[in-house]
Amino acid sequence: MAAGLRLGPLLRYVDWETGEHATVWIEADRPCTAEVRCLGAPPGEGSGKGSGQGPGEAPGPAAGDAEAPGGPSAASSKGAGVSSKGAGGSARTFQIEGHHYALIPVSGLAPAASTEYEVLLDGRRVWPPADSPYPPSVIRTPAIPAQSVRVSFGSCRWSAPPARKQDPIGPDALDTLAERMAAEPESERPDLLVLLGDQVYADATSQETQRWLATRRDLSEPPWTQVADYEEYTRLYEESWLDPEVRWLLSTVPSCMIFDDHDVIDDWNTSASWVAEMRATPWWRERILSGLMSYWVHQHLGNLSPAELADDPVYAAVRDAPDGTEALRAFAARADADPASVRWSYRRDFGRTRLLMIDTRGARVLDERHRAMLDDEETRWLRDQALQAPGSYDHLLIGTSLPWLLPPAIHDVEGWNAALCRGERGARWARVGESLRRRADLEHWAAFPSSFEELTALIREVGSGPLAPSTVCVLSGDVHHAYVAEPSWPDPAPTARVLQLTCSPVHNAIHASMRVGFRFGWSRAGRRLGRAMARHGRTGRPVVRWDKSGGPWFGNQLMTLTMNGRSAELRLDQTATDRTGARLLTVDERILTDGP
C-alpha cells in the first residue's frame, strides 16, 4: 500500500544567510522516502520518480499559498513570481513510537524568490491535494543581504474545534490570518511566525479527544482526561495542525516555536516541591518523557538549521536506528533528570534582526535559596549570543514565553511570594507562599528576582553604546492578553528603545476576574498594594521602573513587528466577527523607531 501524508507539511527553517536552504517537516503513515520538489524541477531530479497523485493521498482540506508583492521583504516584492527551478530535497522517514517522520532539507533555492513546492512520498505526490481551495504552498527566500523582516507572534492556542457553529471563545487568530492571506494574496504576510508556547494543551483536552481517550483507557484513573503517553500527544498535534486553515498557513509561512507549561502540564517546574510531588505519582514519568519526546519531534527539530541538525547526536542516533524510540526516550530521560544536559533555547538571524528564543521552563534552578529562571550554562549562552558581534544587527528580539515586565503590582506580588517561599518570614509563611504560588501561577521572571535583574542588566548592556541595536524587544505570551510596556532607565539610559511586547492568546479565553486583576496591576492603587507586599517580604525595589504604553487588550490576537533597516513598526490585530465571517481588525499601530 502506498504511503500517505498523515500530518504536515510544515515549512520550518528558511535560510536568511544565503537564501538557498529550507526544511520541511512531515509525518507519513508508514516508512517511506519523503521529497520536496520545487516547481520547475523535472522528474528524476530529486529522489522521487514521477509526480502522479491518486485519490485520498493527503487527508484533510489543506494546501498552499501565494506570494505577496506588497510585503516588506525582497522575496515579496522584486522576488515575487521568481522560482528556484531544480530546487528540492529528500529524506528517509525515522520512526518514533510507531509514527514515521521526516525533516526534509531543501537546497538549490534562489534568494529573493517565491517558489511553489509539492511533497512526494516514495515518488507519489501527496501535497497539495488536487481539490485544495487554497493557493499553492510556497517557500519564500529573502534578498541577500536582507534589509527587512516581518514577524508575527503570539501564544496560547487551544485548538479544539467548537462544539457548535459559534465558537464561544471567538475566532482563532491563526485561522483568520490564513483566511485573509488566501483571500487577498496581494495583502501583506509575515515572513515568520513566532509561536511562544502552549501550542498544545496536554492538561485541557477537548471533548472529542476525551471520547477518543476513553477508547484507550479508564478516564476515572490518573491522569484522567489529560494525555498520558506519546500516542495521546500525537492526537493533540493532529487536532491542532490538521485544522485546514492552520495546516495551509504552516505549510507556507516559516515558524519558530518554544514550549510553555501547558505543552506538558500547568505549573510545570514551578518549584522543587512541585517537582517532588509530581515525581511521586505513578503516571508522571510517562507524561514528562512523552511530552519532551513529542516536543522534540514536532517542534524542536524544525527550529534548527541544517548545519545544527547535522551536528546533533540525538538526531543522528534517531535517524540511524530502525526504530529511534529508545534513543529519543533516553534523551528525554536525561533532559528531565539533568536539565543542563540539553539546550532547548536557540538563535536565529534574519538579516539584521537577531532572535534569541529562551527556554524558561526546562532550564530552571528550583532550589529556593538559589532560584533562577535559567541555569548558569543557559545564562552564559544567552549573554554570549546577545553580545556576539556587536553592531552586526539592528534589532534584538528576545523570545520568552513568560513576560519580563508584568503589571507592576503583579511583579511586586511575585517578588513578595518568592521571598516568603525562601523563608524570609518563617516556615509558616513559606507554606502559605508555596500554596499561593501554585494557585495563582506566580512563576514569571519576577518570581525569580536574581534572574530578572540579570536579564535587565543584559538588556541594558546590549542596548547601550555606539554599536547598540535600534531596538531590543522582549516577545512574550502566557497571560491571555496583550500590552506594550516600556522601562524608564536611570542615567545613563540605553540608546536602544527597549520594549516588552506581550501577545496572548491566539485562541483561548480569560476569566473576567483576571481582566480586572490585570487592569488593577497597572493602577496607582495596585502599585501601592504591591509595594506594601514587597515591604512585607523584605524585597527591594526593582532595578528599573516601567509603565504600559499600550493595552491591556483582551481577545484572540496577533502582534506583528516590521523591521526595515533601523526602523521598526508594531501592529496588533484582533479577531472580529461580522455578517461576512471572521476577520482580523487592527486595534493598534505605532512606529517604534524611525532611525536611518
Side-chain angles (χ1 to χ4, degrees):
M1 187 173 179
L5 187 65
R6 181 166 180 169
L7 198 57
L10 277 75
L11 175 60
R12 296 301 312 273
Y13 175 90
V14 171
D15 169 24
W16 280 64
E17 294 182 3
T18 67
E20 298 176 355
H21 305 282
T23 61
V24 175
W25 182 98
I26 64 100
E27 181 185 354
D29 61 9
R30 64 194 67 242
C32 62
T33 296
E35 179 188 357
V36 168
R37 181 179 296 163
C38 293
L39 187 68
E45 204 160 289
S47 64
K49 300 181 183 301
S51 58
Q53 179 184 5
E57 294 167 23
D65 178 52
E67 63 268 4
S73 69
S76 60
S77 54
K78 292 182 179 180
V82 178
S83 65
S84 303
K85 293 183 178 181
S90 64
R92 189 70 186 170
T93 56
F94 60 89
Q95 179 172 311
I96 302 293
E97 294 282 3
H99 290 256
H100 307 280
Y101 307 97
L103 189 60
I104 308 164
V106 180
S107 59
L109 297 167
S114 184
T115 306
E116 296 178 18
Y117 74 90
E118 59 186 11
V119 177
L120 300 90
L121 301 181
D122 286 341
R124 186 166 171 261
R125 195 183 78 166
V126 295
W127 184 269
D131 59 352
S132 169
Y134 300 103
S137 297
V138 299
I139 302 173
R140 294 196 315 161
T141 51
I144 305 298
Q147 296 299 317
S148 63
V149 60
R150 178 179 287 129
V151 178
S152 293
F153 63 95
S155 79
C156 306
R157 180 173 179 262
W158 197 66
S159 59
R164 52 186 182 274
K165 186 174 182 180
Q166 184 68 31
D167 190 336
I169 58 177
D172 186 316
L174 290 188
D175 280 353
T176 311
L177 172 62
E179 289 168 355
R180 185 179 71 181
M181 286 171 50
E184 304 172 18
E186 300 300 313
S187 66
E188 70 172 41
R189 52 178 291 169
D191 296 301
L192 177 71
L193 281 174
V194 174
L195 303 177
L196 291 161
D198 296 344
Q199 272 70 262
V200 294
Y201 280 72
D203 52 357
T205 56
S206 67
Q207 292 184 1
E208 184 177 342
T209 292
Q210 290 172 26
R211 287 191 289 269
W212 178 80
L213 294 175
T215 66
R216 305 187 78 236
R217 55 183 173 84
D218 183 355
L219 299 189
S220 67
E221 299 290 334
W224 307 284
T225 58
Q226 301 182 27
V227 300
D229 58 23
Y230 187 90
E231 183 63 30
E232 293 178 8
Y233 261 104
T234 66
R235 174 77 178 195
L236 298 183
Y237 282 101
E238 289 176 7
E239 187 173 59
S240 179
W241 291 352
L242 285 180
D243 174 306
E245 293 85 0
V246 168
R247 190 180 193 186
W248 172 71
L249 180 70
L250 294 178
S251 78
T252 199
V253 177
S255 53
C256 290
M257 306 180 187
I258 195 69
F259 48 42
D260 199 21
D261 55 344
H262 292 284
D263 291 85
V264 176
I265 193 171
D266 189 26
D267 296 339
W268 177 32
N269 283 348
T270 287
S271 65
S273 63
W274 182 93
V275 171
E277 289 180 18
M278 295 304 294
R279 286 178 174 173
T281 62
W283 56 271
W284 173 247
R285 179 171 173 79
E286 189 59 38
R287 170 68 160 273
I288 185 62
L289 295 188
S290 297
L292 294 175
M293 291 169 66
S294 63
Y295 174 78
W296 185 89
V297 169
H298 294 84
Q299 298 190 51
H300 177 68
L301 281 182
N303 294 328
L304 305 181
S305 69
E308 290 169 322
L309 290 167
D311 292 338
D312 190 322
V314 180
Y315 186 50
V318 166
R319 293 182 67 201
D320 290 346
D323 184 339
T325 302
E326 288 307 312
L328 184 56
R329 190 176 180 86
F331 165 78
R334 290 194 303 273
D336 179 47
D338 179 15
S341 68
V342 60
R343 173 168 296 120
W344 301 109
S345 302
Y346 57 95
R347 167 182 157 183
R348 293 287 310 278
D349 289 339
F350 302 93
R352 292 188 61 83
T353 295
R354 180 171 297 176
L355 170 65
L356 300 179
M357 191 76 87
I358 310 173
D359 162 23
T360 55
R361 284 289 168 184
R364 295 180 174 185
V365 177
L366 298 177
D367 180 345
E368 290 296 346
R369 305 302 301 183
H370 304 92
R371 272 173 69 86
M373 185 70 84
L374 309 176
D375 61 37
D376 290 345
E377 179 61 30
E378 199 79 2
T379 299
R380 283 192 294 270
W381 176 87
L382 175 61
R383 180 176 177 81
D384 290 346
Q385 298 301 317
L387 296 174
Q388 186 179 91
S392 65
Y393 59 87
D394 294 321
H395 305 276
L396 176 63
L397 310 181
I398 299 176
T400 163
S401 62
L402 305 175
W404 164 54
L405 300 179
L406 289 165
I410 297 175
H411 177 97
D412 284 337
V413 168
E414 294 205 5
W416 164 78
N417 178 262
L420 295 186
C421 291
R422 68 173 177 262
E424 290 294 332
R425 285 290 183 176
R428 179 174 174 274
W429 274 108
R431 291 192 295 271
V432 171
E434 177 64 22
S435 175
L436 181 60
R437 175 158 61 191
R438 298 190 196 182
R439 288 187 287 112
D441 291 338
L442 304 180
E443 52 168 351
H444 300 84
W445 284 89
F448 298 80
S450 62
S451 295
F452 175 85
E453 293 179 5
E454 287 176 351
L455 180 59
T456 302
L458 176 61
I459 289 172
R460 182 172 187 168
E461 183 178 355
V462 169
S464 301
L467 298 179
S470 178
T471 65
V472 179
C473 296
V474 180
L475 314 184
S476 304
D478 179 69
V479 291
H480 288 208
H481 71 289
Y483 61 89
V484 178
E486 191 162 3
S488 300
W489 301 89
D491 290 333
T495 55
R497 188 170 186 190
V498 178
L499 299 113
Q500 167 70 64
L501 305 177
T502 302
C503 184
S504 169
V506 170
H507 186 234
N508 214 316
I510 186 171
H511 295 297
S513 60
M514 294 181 66
R515 294 190 184 208
V516 173
F518 282 121
R519 292 186 188 279
F520 180 73
W522 294 106
S523 69
R524 289 184 179 179
R527 291 171 192 259
R528 288 194 294 268
L529 177 61
R531 293 312 308 152
M533 298 181 77
R535 286 192 294 271
H536 178 262
R538 299 168 180 160
T539 66
R541 287 188 176 274
V543 294
V544 67
R545 296 175 62 86
W546 63 93
D547 205 346
K548 66 179 176 67
S549 59
W553 297 285
F554 299 95
N556 295 329
Q557 49 207 346
L558 286 170
M559 275 185 178
T560 299
L561 267 172
T562 301
M563 290 147 291
N564 191 350
R566 290 184 66 83
S567 70
E569 298 179 5
L570 177 69
R571 190 184 71 244
L572 175 70
D573 293 326
Q574 289 187 334
T575 62
T577 305
D578 57 22
R579 286 178 296 178
T580 63
R583 59 193 177 94
L584 286 175
L585 178 67
T586 299
V587 298
D588 188 74
E589 275 186 293
R590 63 185 65 199
I591 295 174
L592 302 183
T593 62
D594 56 0

